[in-house]
Amino acid sequence: MAETAGKKKKRKPRRFYDYSLLFTIIFLTVFGLIMIYSSSSYNAQIHGQSASYYMKRQGYIALAGFAVMLVISKIDYHFFARFTFLSIIISYVCMILVDFTGLGIEVNGKKRWLGTRAVRFQPTELVKVTVILVLAVVITKLGKEINELRSWLMIAALILPLALLVTINNLSSGIIICGIAFVMMFIACKKKWPFVAAAAVMICGFLFALPIAQACVKIGLLQGYQLNRILVWKNPEAYPKDGGYQVLQGLYAIGSGGLLGKGLGQSIQKLSFLPEPQNDMIFAIICEELGLFGAVSVILIFLFMIYRFMLIAGNAPDLFGALLVIGVMAHISIQVILNIAVVTNVIPNTGITLPFISYGGTSVLFLMIEMGMVLSVSNQIKLEK
Amino acid sequence: MSSFLTHHRRKILVTFFITAILMAGLLWQLGYLMIFRSEHYSRMADELHERERTIKAARGEIVDRNGTVIATNRTVCTISVVHNQVEEPETVIEVLCKELELSDAEVRKRVEKRSSREIIKTNVDKADGDRIRGYGLAGVKVDEDYKRYYPYDSMASKVLGFTGADNQGIIGLEVMYESYLKGLDGTILTLSDAKGVEVENAAEERKEPVAGKTLTVSLDVNIQKYAEQAAYQVMEKKGAKAVSVIIMNPQNGEIYAMVNAPEFNLNDPFTLVTEEEYGSSKEKQDLLNKMWRNRCINDTYEPGSTFKIITAAAGLEAGVVSLNDRFSCPGFRVVEDRKIRCHKVGGHGGETFLQGAMNSCNPVFIDVGQRLGVDSFYHYFEQFGLLGKTGIDLPGEAATIMHKKDNMGLVELATVSFGQSFQITPMQLVTTASSIINGGNRITPHFAVKAESRDKTFVREFTYPVRTGVVSEETSATMRYILEQVVAEGSGKKASLPEYRIGGKTATSEKLPRSLKKYISSFLGFAPADNPQVIALITIDEPVGIYYGGTIAAPVIADIFKNILPYLGI
């Protein structure tokens, strides 16, 4: 073995492998497992399972995902382009099955899964990877034509139906997919103004959400309950029983954490006050147990991860590799920012998980696949002598 | 493959910086929440986590004079649901509806309400509670609790009273002595999770509950039971609407028995005894209130001839009449323009005062009343305590309904003299008669003897006011003699017992309006006649057929005396 490796080394130039990113992935995953254990053990026991039930499940999938990641990272990323067509077909089929047929499995009143009750996965996670892959392939193929309106329309025709199917299933994944496409297009295109304008509209929408929503209700564009969500967001303490419950419980957790936190495992809000604390609201438990110190650390680690993505994308051998990494980078950034924004009540409540840390098998598996792709791009970077 | 351009790299950098700025914004928000709002949210969280749980205090028992328990506590269950723990709401609703016999809508509303704990029903039988627990439904809690229990069901129901859903007294002694019986609930202050489950090892503050005091009352279960039996017998035999019996110690006012047949079941106080129709819940409540009434003290009636005891005592005390004064009865007496009849149509002819009393002759007592005059009579009426209340330790005692002194003419005086045209409670009559025969001591009738805590660290013996000198000892002795003669040879003959000296007076009061021809037959008796230790009054409301007090009421008292006098050691 050593001999053949040595031979290869002579023939091929020295390759880069981003061990910093690998370490960050391992750290976040293990930290996530610890936090899942801390936040879920009480509820698991109440429901008659062992305290480590959720942690074990997540751990097995993360381990399998890690192996998959390592394998993928050793494959030349150009090979992935061959799966573009297949992944689009599978994505459409899965989304149609989960949205419109009885095959979709409902858990906690949300019909988001395919498979059986025991072995099931969320097709929306697959769609995220698909969108990254497809856009990277298409943009690379188009070359300079990407700046033409015709190409934009074509990409819209390719992505929007899928995004719509996902949005029907759950709004937050739809937002993430649109966000990924937005970022990838922003980087690929020479034009700036359409993106700046879109960002400006979003910022306005964010700042003037309440008056806009009220106007929309008046002309019948929005339903009363949607306006209610906005009202809850603006003042959760006024709605402690109804819509504001989860957010308010999250704020209690964050606020009571203080600077240094109550200590690992000492959260009280996880004792069923926060429903399913191992899911979307796990960041609130991190804040409660580890304090501002822990929360800042987690955010900085994510920022470091994104920094690594930036480096890999900037040094990628070609545009396709760079776009793959940019897609993943967009995915992770959007999800981290939106999740923490929801938990801290900066934006209205939508169910977005925190990558690597929140409980969710499909999510961690596809994240590992994405990481594999990024590592694979990093592995194609030739180090100069 | 297309070339990888500089503008790509630049835009990647821009994206990274935007991400970094957004994250910095989130850090800012986190810092604000966790430093400046920390205190606010910590306080709100603590309020949410700390839970005060009450530990119900056991209500004090009520025991009779011999220590027999007549009101105690039994374990019952409180069924509640914990919203967050309910897994199968439909099954829960279905089971609770079936087992607790509640409407679907009612249960559904409570099960689906998002609260930490919602009580579905209290005071559920332990058997039902155990059955519900047996289903093993997640989120359904069955907590054991105390409920008032009356071992003798309906015995002295209107005296004892019962308790409501929160174990608070509603009528009778239960409400009168609420402050002694209630006890002090304890509390546990704990940290708990959202399901109300206490957090282990969390510091808890605990305040132990203090059980209510045991209340000893003067009732005697044996006497009460015997009197009730006698009351029910005569009620059935005479088809009467109601029968009341009061048995009291005339020397100190301790009540041995108070019967108000028909009684109701204290363990099921919201079920009507009589099968009366009712439309609305308000009508039902009115019927229930009627059923719970204690006729001995809540209702007044015209006492009729038993009141002649008072007229006689007033006459003797004032010295306007003596035992051997002679009267004549032609069967009526004309007062001013009114002709007032004697119950004996032909008249009693010539008779002494004593004979007049034995015959219960109305004209004799009209004469005594007229001799006293309105002023003097009213003075004695007041002196005997008839204008006030007896002060018995039961809620809702009715006041006397009497003519105003200014409106009282000779005709009114004449009717009052033999117990008509005014109303008093049976309890008032017994109390006044007691003070006349016991040597002139106006005693306060009562039930409560003492209240004590279980560990005897708290003991309170109740004392009641006694007003002496209501009548002279001499008058009292004369009255005892007269009333003994009434039973020995007069209208109260049927109350006589060979081995005892019994005094008494019969009465037959015509209910208002007189045209209905409805009566209340009554008899007031005491024994031994020379040194009264027990006094009893029976009132039979609306007997069918023969209605003379001497015929139907006197034998009942004789029967009761025959049994309780040996029991009391007299």
Side-chain angles (χ1 to χ4, degrees):
Chain A
M1 273 293 280
E3 210 177 319
T4 45
K7 269 184 194 169
K8 268 183 186 170
K9 223 175 182 179
K10 272 175 195 165
R11 277 196 281 112
K12 285 183 180 176
R14 231 161 63 85
R15 293 276 181 80
F16 175 71
Y17 196 87
D18 196 339
Y19 289 104
S20 304
L21 180 59
L22 186 66
F23 172 77
T24 313
I25 294 165
I26 294 169
F27 178 86
L28 279 175
T29 309
V30 172
F31 177 73
L33 288 176
I34 293 168
M35 288 319 296
I36 286 172
Y37 176 77
S38 171
S39 54
S40 69
S41 57
Y42 185 81
N43 284 348
Q45 279 175 315
I46 277 187
H47 292 107
Q49 278 138 348
S50 77
S52 55
Y53 173 78
Y54 289 101
M55 186 192 70
K56 274 186 184 158
R57 277 183 67 128
Q58 180 87 348
Y60 292 141
I61 296 171
L63 211 59
F66 192 75
V68 171
M69 177 190 82
L70 289 180
V71 170
I72 290 176
S73 75
K74 283 293 167 192
I75 300 170
D76 183 348
Y77 61 87
H78 296 99
F79 180 68
F80 307 146
R82 298 187 188 183
F83 296 104
T84 314
F85 192 66
L86 185 67
S87 63
I88 286 195
I89 298 293
I90 293 175
S91 292
Y92 269 102
V93 168
C94 285
M95 283 320 296
I96 287 167
L97 283 180
V98 80
D99 279 356
F100 303 117
T101 68
L103 287 173
I105 297 174
E106 234 181 85
V107 178
N108 297 335
K110 286 161 191 158
K111 201 172 152 190
R112 291 183 183 172
W113 283 267
L114 272 185
T116 65
R117 281 219 160 252
V119 183
R120 57 181 193 233
F121 87 109
Q122 277 184 295
T124 51
E125 299 294 331
L126 169 71
V127 176
K128 287 173 193 170
V129 183
T130 303
V131 167
I132 294 171
L133 188 63
V134 168
L135 276 176
V137 169
V138 170
I139 291 169
T140 316
K141 280 256 163 68
L142 285 170
K144 285 196 169 167
E145 284 172 47
I146 187 69
N147 296 317
E148 285 165 31
L149 185 66
R150 197 169 51 88
S151 317
W152 284 47
L153 289 176
M154 195 197 84
I155 288 169
L158 198 67
I159 298 300
L160 278 184
L162 201 54
L164 195 68
L165 281 173
V166 172
T167 309
I168 291 171
N169 191 269
N170 77 81
L171 178 68
S172 40
S173 291
I175 292 172
I176 291 167
I177 283 166
C178 292
I180 293 171
F182 179 86
V183 172
M184 289 178 80
M185 288 298 285
F186 166 71
I187 288 170
C189 295
K190 249 191 132 80
K191 287 178 195 163
K192 283 180 203 141
W193 300 117
F195 300 100
V196 173
V201 168
M202 276 193 283
I203 290 170
C204 284
F206 172 71
L207 290 177
F208 304 106
L210 194 58
I212 291 170
Q214 278 165 341
C216 286
V217 168
K218 254 182 208 150
I219 59 169
L221 213 66
L222 276 178
Q223 299 290 325
Y225 74 92
Q226 286 163 320
L227 174 68
N228 208 42
R229 267 197 172 185
I230 308 267
L231 290 172
V232 167
W233 163 49
K234 286 287 177 193
N235 186 12
E237 282 176 41
Y239 304 87
K241 280 270 138 71
D242 309 308
Y245 181 78
Q246 201 187 17
V247 167
L248 200 58
Q249 297 298 328
L251 287 177
Y252 287 167
I254 295 171
S256 57
L259 266 178
L260 296 172
K262 290 179 178 165
L264 198 58
Q266 300 300 309
S267 161
I268 290 189
Q269 284 297 100
K270 72 185 180 191
L271 308 179
S272 316
F273 288 103
L274 258 182
E276 302 198 18
Q278 71 273 23
N279 282 356
D280 305 350
M281 302 298 273
I282 198 164
F283 191 72
I285 303 296
I286 295 175
C287 290
E288 191 184 0
E289 296 195 345
L290 304 177
L292 185 59
F293 165 75
V296 169
S297 306
V298 169
I299 292 178
L300 287 181
I301 291 165
F302 275 116
L303 195 62
F304 176 72
M305 186 180 234
I306 291 160
Y307 168 73
R308 294 312 300 179
F309 291 153
M310 183 190 75
L311 285 188
I312 295 170
N315 295 297
D318 55 13
L319 183 61
F320 177 58
L323 282 172
L324 277 181
V325 180
I326 287 161
V328 175
M329 172 177 163
H331 178 196
I332 303 288
S333 322
I334 291 170
Q335 228 170 300
V336 169
I337 290 170
L338 289 187
N339 176 271
I340 295 174
V342 164
V343 173
T344 52
N345 197 36
V346 174
I347 61 166
N349 195 357
T350 53
I352 293 176
T353 56
L354 190 60
F356 299 105
I357 296 179
S358 287
Y359 177 76
T362 321
S363 167
V364 80
L365 186 65
F366 281 94
L367 276 170
M368 288 298 183
I369 289 173
E370 287 178 23
M371 293 304 116
M373 284 167 28
V374 174
L375 287 171
S376 155
V377 174
S378 85
N379 203 22
Q380 298 302 319
I381 297 172
K382 295 180 182 73
L383 289 177
E384 288 151 28
K385 288 236 169 171
Chain B
M1 287 284 166
S2 168
S3 63
F4 187 24
L5 302 169
T6 339
H7 85 86
H8 291 137
R9 290 214 171 81
R10 210 175 56 232
K11 279 192 168 177
I12 291 170
L13 204 62
V14 169
T15 310
F16 175 73
F17 278 118
I18 291 174
T19 307
I21 289 166
L22 288 176
M23 283 191 171
L26 291 176
L27 284 176
W28 181 266
Q29 167 80 357
L30 270 177
Y32 167 71
L33 286 176
M34 297 175 80
I35 298 171
F36 297 104
R37 303 282 284 163
S38 176
E39 213 172 299
H40 171 74
Y41 285 123
S42 296
R43 202 180 53 242
M44 288 183 80
D46 282 346
E47 273 169 28
L48 185 74
H49 303 152
E50 276 178 2
R51 206 145 290 202
E52 202 181 72
R53 210 179 64 186
T54 50
I55 318 169
K56 256 197 191 177
R59 197 174 167 85
E61 291 186 327
I62 302 180
V63 300
D64 85 338
R65 61 187 307 114
N66 305 314
T68 311
V69 177
I70 50 182
T72 182
N73 305 301
R74 193 169 54 169
T75 310
V76 290
C77 297
T78 299
I79 312 291
S80 51
V81 288
V82 178
H83 181 87
N84 291 349
Q85 280 177 14
V86 175
E87 281 163 9
E88 296 160 338
E90 290 308 318
T91 324
V92 168
I93 292 167
E94 191 191 318
V95 168
L96 292 183
C97 282
K98 195 179 80 193
E99 293 292 345
L100 300 174
E101 288 162 8
L102 294 170
S103 74
D104 182 76
E106 207 175 336
V107 176
R108 186 171 296 277
K109 201 179 90 194
R110 293 186 185 144
V111 170
E112 289 175 357
K113 188 172 167 197
R114 187 190 279 267
S115 66
S116 61
R117 186 194 191 87
E118 193 68 20
I119 290 173
I120 305 285
K121 198 178 176 189
T122 55
N123 286 346
V124 177
D125 263 359
K126 195 169 183 299
D128 290 339
D130 287 342
R131 212 162 47 243
I132 290 172
R133 197 182 281 138
Y135 284 94
L137 292 167
V140 177
K141 297 272 175 245
V142 181
D143 291 321
E144 292 185 355
D145 195 0
Y146 297 117
K147 191 202 174 186
R148 207 60 166 158
Y149 175 64
Y150 303 90
Y152 293 94
D153 287 327
S154 66
M155 189 191 79
S157 55
K158 299 170 192 193
V159 173
L160 295 176
F162 54 92
T163 61
D166 294 327
N167 250 349
Q168 83 285 18
I170 290 191
I171 62 163
L173 292 170
E174 291 276 22
V175 66
M176 199 70 189
Y177 291 96
E178 175 75 13
S179 57
Y180 290 98
L181 293 168
K182 191 172 67 186
L184 211 62
D185 283 349
T187 49
I188 306 180
L189 199 66
T190 55
L191 282 185
S192 75
D193 70 4
K195 290 162 187 174
V197 179
E198 281 156 34
V199 178
E200 277 175 59
N201 304 327
E204 66 174 40
E205 270 176 66
R206 192 184 165 95
K207 214 174 92 197
E208 290 296 332
V210 182
K213 316 276 186 296
T214 302
L215 183 71
T216 305
V217 294
S218 59
L219 283 177
D220 186 305
V221 168
N222 294 316
I223 299 177
Q224 175 77 25
K225 271 164 79 177
Y226 196 81
E228 256 173 43
Q229 199 182 325
Y232 271 103
Q233 267 173 12
V234 69
M235 185 169 80
E236 204 167 304
K237 203 165 88 189
K238 298 305 298 176
K241 239 173 79 181
V243 175
S244 293
V245 178
I246 302 170
I247 302 173
M248 187 172 89
N249 181 339
Q251 302 295 342
N252 60 13
E254 284 182 2
I255 297 168
Y256 294 135
M258 185 180 275
V259 181
N260 289 282
E263 302 271 4
F264 64 93
N265 186 350
L266 287 171
N267 292 316
D268 187 16
F270 294 94
T271 302
L272 289 167
V273 174
T274 49
E275 281 158 15
E276 279 172 277
E277 296 287 320
Y278 55 87
S280 62
S281 58
K282 194 190 168 297
E283 276 175 55
K284 183 182 181 186
Q285 191 55 50
D286 288 345
L287 288 172
L288 283 174
N289 286 339
K290 212 170 115 193
M291 178 175 89
W292 297 336
R293 277 186 91 81
N294 185 337
R295 302 168 66 95
C296 295
I297 60 156
N298 299 141
D299 291 339
T300 56
Y301 79 123
E302 284 185 307
S305 303
T306 42
F307 190 73
K308 287 170 184 162
I309 298 169
I310 286 108
T311 308
L316 290 167
E317 186 72 4
V320 296
V321 71
S322 63
L323 282 182
N324 297 317
D325 278 9
R326 292 207 64 84
F327 294 83
S328 86
C329 167
F332 60 88
R333 192 62 98 228
V334 177
V335 179
E336 288 187 331
D337 56 344
R338 209 73 68 84
K339 187 174 172 185
I340 301 167
R341 296 190 177 282
C342 186
H343 60 89
K344 187 169 180 185
V345 182
H348 294 96
E351 56 191 342
T352 63
F353 178 60
L354 177 64
Q355 287 165 328
M358 287 158 67
N359 295 331
S360 194
C361 175
N362 287 351
V364 171
F365 286 89
I366 293 170
D367 286 357
V368 173
Q370 301 294 320
R371 284 184 196 177
L372 281 163
V374 172
D375 278 347
S376 181
F377 191 93
Y378 215 91
H379 163 74
Y380 281 111
F381 200 90
E382 197 170 357
Q383 156 108 358
F384 292 161
L386 283 161
L387 283 181
K389 295 180 180 180
T390 64
I392 187 170
D393 52 351
L394 278 179
E397 186 182 0
T400 301
I401 304 168
M402 176 65 178
H403 305 279
K404 278 206 177 110
K405 192 175 171 183
D406 302 338
N407 301 338
M408 211 163 139
L410 290 179
V411 179
E412 285 79 17
L413 177 62
T415 52
V416 170
S417 303
F418 58 91
Q420 279 187 9
S421 80
F422 71 102
Q423 297 200 343
I424 57 174
T425 64
M427 195 67 240
Q428 178 66 271
L429 180 67
V430 173
T431 309
T432 312
S434 295
S435 57
I436 289 170
I437 59 168
N438 72 4
N441 302 319
R442 169 88 186 181
I443 40 84
T444 306
H446 61 268
F447 289 98
V449 176
K450 69 176 173 191
E452 57 188 348
S453 60
R454 266 177 212 179
D455 55 7
K456 313 274 188 235
T457 51
F458 173 95
V459 179
R460 169 153 182 206
E461 308 233 4
F462 296 97
T463 54
Y464 298 88
V466 176
R467 190 156 55 86
T468 54
V470 173
V471 291
S472 66
E473 180 51 52
E474 194 192 339
T475 306
S476 186
T478 314
M479 283 311 299
R480 291 198 289 269
Y481 172 71
I482 293 171
L483 295 172
E484 190 182 356
Q485 294 309 307
V486 170
V487 172
E489 289 166 48
S491 55
K493 272 203 293 286
K494 296 213 159 149
S496 63
L497 289 171
E499 60 271 42
Y500 290 104
R501 293 175 66 180
I502 291 169
K505 185 75 194 76
T506 65
T508 312
S509 343
E510 211 173 338
K511 284 178 89 171
L512 293 168
R514 310 263 188 242
S515 58
L516 284 180
K517 297 280 171 207
K518 302 261 192 197
Y519 300 90
I520 295 177
S521 305
S522 58
F523 181 80
L524 181 121
F526 60 91
D530 54 340
N531 178 24
Q533 294 301 314
V534 59
I535 184 166
L537 171 69
I538 181 169
T539 56
I540 304 170
D541 193 23
E542 298 186 11
V544 179
I546 297 168
Y547 53 81
Y548 296 114
T551 316
I552 61 168
V556 182
I557 293 295
D559 179 44
I560 293 172
F561 275 177
K562 199 168 112 191
N563 285 279
I564 69 167
L565 291 178
Y567 172 77
L568 286 169
I570 297 164

